[in-house]
Amino acid sequence: MTLITFSEYNKLWNEDKERELLELLDELTRNNVKWAISNLVADYNKGTHNEIFDIWMQKYNIHEINSYYISFNNNKVRPTKEVLVTNY
């Protein structure tokens, strides 16, 4: 699995749901609907990478977000790559 986070709020999310969402965003683009989505692409501490999103986002406008993930379990700060992707 290439998804990065498995928090309580997204425990039902999987690769199929990820692809379904990205296809919906592509469809919105084809219909000239503007949208923006943020996502975590990499967690450098864990060595994880959301390849599905990372490849998909290359066709849109990518804005890197300076952020750090803070673990709920131990408050440890981990460097991550978070992005805001837009079609406008």
Side-chain angles (χ1 to χ4, degrees), residues 13 15-37 52-53 56 59-60 85 87:
W13 199 255
E15 291 182 14
D16 290 337
K17 294 288 186 192
E18 185 90 349
R19 286 185 182 95
E20 189 177 322
L21 171 63
L22 301 179
E23 177 54 40
L24 174 64
L25 294 172
D26 288 337
E27 180 67 25
L28 290 173
T29 298
R30 287 189 289 273
N31 288 298
N32 297 315
V33 176
K34 293 180 182 176
W35 53 259
I37 185 171
I52 295 169
F53 193 88
W56 171 84
K59 55 189 162 184
Y60 295 109
V85 180
N87 70 343

Side-chain angles (χ1 to χ4, degrees), residues 3-18:
L3 301 179
I4 294 175
T5 61
F6 303 100
S7 301
E8 186 66 24
Y9 64 86
N10 66 355
K11 66 183 178 183
L12 300 177
W13 199 255
N14 58 39
E15 291 182 14
D16 290 337
K17 294 288 186 192
E18 185 90 349

Side-chain angles (χ1 to χ4, degrees), residues 41-59:
V41 179
D43 184 328
Y44 299 115
N45 217 29
K46 286 183 169 182
T48 54
H49 176 242
N50 184 338
E51 190 173 339
I52 295 169
F53 193 88
D54 198 12
I55 291 169
W56 171 84
M57 73 179 186
Q58 299 305 316
K59 55 189 162 184

